[in-house]
Amino acid sequence: KPFGVQAISASVKKTGHLVTVEEHNIVGGFGGAALEALAPQGINFKYHAIGMQDCFGDTGGYDELLDKFGLSAPKIAASVKKFVQNK
């Protein structure tokens, strides 16, 4: 708290997209909170969640785990690019 509903809403209205990146499981995280906050506004947009896809965690080096779960900078960039280009 506080949750920046107005800033998120303005961005989604401008772009028609919402991308969230979470360094943990995507279920029950920031993306869900953003969707919950935007739902009453009736905005039409596409949503993409980047993070651990409802799975158990793993052990390893920090950079290794980021890469494994798609959270390294190159993998995030590739994922967002693919999402935005699939209109």
Side-chain angles (χ1 to χ4, degrees), residues 2-86:
F3 193 81
V5 176
Q6 289 149 339
I8 293 170
S9 177
S11 177
V12 169
K13 285 177 184 175
K14 180 179 177 181
T15 66
H17 293 84
L18 173 65
V19 175
T20 59
V21 180
E22 307 190 50
E23 197 177 71
H24 54 80
N25 197 316
I26 61 169
V27 176
F30 176 73
L35 292 172
E36 184 178 321
L38 291 170
Q41 297 183 38
I43 304 167
N44 186 24
F45 62 94
K46 291 174 60 177
Y47 173 62
H48 181 55
I50 300 173
M52 293 175 60
Q53 300 295 311
D54 195 24
C55 62
F56 290 107
D58 207 345
T59 58
Y62 182 70
D63 291 334
E64 175 186 12
L65 292 173
L66 288 180
D67 193 60
K68 176 180 179 172
F69 291 109
L71 293 166
S72 63
K75 288 195 174 178
I76 290 171
S79 181
V80 172
K81 183 177 180 181
K82 182 178 177 183
F83 167 68
V84 172
Q85 289 177 342
N86 287 331

